């Protein structure tokens, strides 16, 4: 049996993956009563993490927090791997790249390391990425340093942003926990926002790598409008009207195939 904190953590992770869940499936998965599930959901709703709907619960579009790195790595892995491979096709030998923090960007790092592009310079604020690329002889590696975000294995804040202002980047690959046409890229973390804003100012090509499950969500801190990006790498479940509007803004849209359910549709988007 799970203790209450474990149940609420399970519910939040499950809804992060599925975007919406019924009381019945949560009660069955955790072997508890409907009343127990409702109490747990009420507490999560008071924390601003989820929203109760008729017969179940969905993720709050206003993100108050993100899952830790290890748990995010388990979500939509096949899509992230495909996006990473596609993103790596945008680079050329001799370029300076920025790889943002996150599990999708870790897949980009793996694809970049396996590519035939040599004399690359990679700048990152992500410890998992820097550790993975540490022994790659064809890559010159820089880490931004800065305040360590232990949950997300990365650095953020003013120190990291100041370092980024000193360099010129050919292609920046950016991650985001939340994005849409109305609010652009956003984040619940002020420290992350300052790093991403700095990257945008020093990069010639700016590529958002983000799956469609994060589309339609928003965080407290605005990063940029989507038209400040040159490219977006996502998946085929991105809503058709969003695809059309993005391309009308002159942004190059690159979509990978996905066998996963379109969870945003289940959530009523």
């Amino acid at each position: 049996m799970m203790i209450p904190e474990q149940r609420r953590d399970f519910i939040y992770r499950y809804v992060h993956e599925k975007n919406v869940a019924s009381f019945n499936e949560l009660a069955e998965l955790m072997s508890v009563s409907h009343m127990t599930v409702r109490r747990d959901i009420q507490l999560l709703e008071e924390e601003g993490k989820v929203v109760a709907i008729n017969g179940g619960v969905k993720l709050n579009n206003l993100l108050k927090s993100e899952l830790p790195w290890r748990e995010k790595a388990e979500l939509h892995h096949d899509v992230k791997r495909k996006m990473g491979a596609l993103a790596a096709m945008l680079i050329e030998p001799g370029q300076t790249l920025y790889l943002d923090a996150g599990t999708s960007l870790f897949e980009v790092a793996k694809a970049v390391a396996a590519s035939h592009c040599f004399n690359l310079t990679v700048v990152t604020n992500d410890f998992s990425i820097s550790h993975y690329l540490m022994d790659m002889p064809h890559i010159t590696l820089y880490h931004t340093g800065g305040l360590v975000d232990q949950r997300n294995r990365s650095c953020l804040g003013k120190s990291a942003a100041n370092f980024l202002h000193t360099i010129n980047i050919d292609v920046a690959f950016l991650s985001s926990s939340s994005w849409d046409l109305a609010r652009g890229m956003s984040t619940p973390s002020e420290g992350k926002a300052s790093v991403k804003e700095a990257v945008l100012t020093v990069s010639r090509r700016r590529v958002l790598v983000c799956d469609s499950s994060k589309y339609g969500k928003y965080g407290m801190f605005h990063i940029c409008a989507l038209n400040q990006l040159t490219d977006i790498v996502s998946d085929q479940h991105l809503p058709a009207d969003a695809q059309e509007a993005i391309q009308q803004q002159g942004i190059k849209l690159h979509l990978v195939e996905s066998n996963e359910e379109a969870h945003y549709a289940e959530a009523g988007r």
Side-chain angles (χ1 to χ4, degrees):
M1 289 288 291
M2 297 181 185
I3 63 175
E5 185 176 354
Q6 289 174 321
R7 289 199 309 270
R8 290 191 292 274
D9 181 62
F10 174 84
I11 292 171
Y12 187 50
R13 287 189 289 111
Y14 189 78
V15 176
H16 241 284
E17 180 177 3
K18 302 296 184 181
N19 215 11
V20 65
S22 69
F23 295 136
N24 288 339
E25 64 183 303
L26 290 171
E28 184 176 344
L29 286 167
M30 296 187 295
S31 300
V32 296
S33 68
H34 282 213
M35 186 59 68
T36 297
V37 170
R38 289 176 186 273
R39 284 198 299 266
D40 288 335
I41 287 173
Q42 182 179 356
L43 289 171
L44 289 170
E45 191 169 29
E46 290 172 0
E47 294 174 3
K49 293 180 177 179
V50 300
V51 176
I53 57 176
N54 185 29
V57 61
K58 71 173 185 176
L59 196 64
N60 190 350
N61 285 346
L62 172 58
L63 291 181
K64 295 293 184 68
S65 62
E66 299 179 39
L67 291 174
W69 194 98
R70 186 180 298 276
E71 294 179 10
K72 287 193 291 187
E74 298 173 359
L75 302 178
H76 314 301
H77 181 260
D78 184 60
V79 171
K80 292 175 181 177
R81 180 182 57 79
K82 291 177 180 178
M83 291 194 304
L86 195 158
M89 295 173 64
L90 304 179
I91 66 174
E92 299 175 5
Q95 288 187 321
T96 297
L97 315 176
Y98 176 75
L99 299 183
D100 206 3
T103 55
S104 294
L105 273 294
F106 184 71
E107 295 300 324
V108 177
K110 289 164 66 176
V112 167
S115 73
H116 296 292
C117 285
F118 290 90
N119 299 319
L120 293 174
T121 297
V122 173
V123 182
T124 185
N125 65 331
D126 188 294
F127 288 108
S128 296
I129 290 174
S130 60
H131 183 265
Y132 184 83
L133 297 178
M134 190 76 68
D135 298 320
M136 303 294 171
H138 60 294
I139 293 175
T140 300
L141 183 64
Y142 286 86
H143 195 284
T144 64
L147 177 64
V148 176
D149 180 353
Q150 294 174 318
R151 280 171 57 88
N152 287 290
R153 303 183 184 180
S154 62
C155 284
L156 44 74
K158 185 177 180 180
S159 296
N162 286 344
F163 173 78
L164 289 165
H165 280 301
T166 67
I167 59 178
N168 293 310
I169 295 168
D170 293 309
V171 186
F173 294 101
L174 296 154
S175 62
S176 182
S177 59
S178 44
W179 63 293
D180 65 16
L181 285 158
R183 302 179 183 90
M185 285 175 57
S186 58
T187 175
S189 166
E190 185 176 8
K192 286 186 177 183
S194 62
V195 172
K196 295 178 194 292
E197 288 167 355
V199 171
L200 289 165
T201 64
V202 299
S203 302
R204 180 173 57 83
R205 191 171 187 178
R206 300 165 297 280
V207 184
L208 173 63
V209 182
C210 200
D211 67 77
S212 63
S213 71
K214 298 170 185 175
Y215 183 83
K217 299 179 176 63
Y218 64 99
M220 178 177 176
F221 297 98
H222 174 79
I223 298 167
C224 71
L226 293 190
N227 61 13
Q228 289 184 247
L229 303 168
T230 59
D231 303 75
I232 294 176
V233 176
S234 190
D235 63 80
Q236 64 185 8
H237 290 314
L238 188 67
D241 57 345
Q243 294 183 31
E244 182 178 358
I246 287 168
Q247 292 172 318
Q248 286 178 348
Q249 293 188 28
I251 304 167
K252 295 179 181 178
L253 184 61
H254 314 269
L255 301 178
V256 301
E257 293 185 358
S258 169
N259 295 324
E260 299 182 15
E261 296 178 25
H263 300 307
Y264 58 81
E266 295 178 359
R269 293 199 196 112

